Amino acid sequence: MTLLPQGVEDEVYAEAAREFDDKELAQLIALILTVNAWNRMNVTTRRAPGTE
């Protein structure tokens, strides 16, 4: 369901770390993880948001 072979580049992570403190960065990562999980489930089950 998910393919991210290179991960997040160090430069991208460092830039985010400059903008957010540790707690905010952890919350941002958790939010992105949640959105990605729902998106992957919808893609896998071929469901479109708002159709039910």
Side-chain angles (χ1 to χ4, degrees), residues 3-10:
L3 179 61
L4 190 59
Q6 305 301 329
V8 175
E9 295 179 7
D10 292 340

Side-chain angles (χ1 to χ4, degrees), residues 26-43:
Q27 291 171 330
L28 179 61
I29 291 169
L31 177 62
I32 292 168
L33 177 118
T34 301
V35 170
N36 282 339
W38 282 109
N39 284 339
R40 295 302 178 179
M41 285 188 284
N42 285 332
V43 167

Side-chain angles (χ1 to χ4, degrees), residues 13 16-29:
Y13 187 88
R18 284 192 297 272
E19 297 293 326
F20 302 99
D21 65 29
D22 287 345
K23 181 179 178 182
E24 292 170 330
L25 191 55
Q27 291 171 330
L28 179 61
I29 291 169

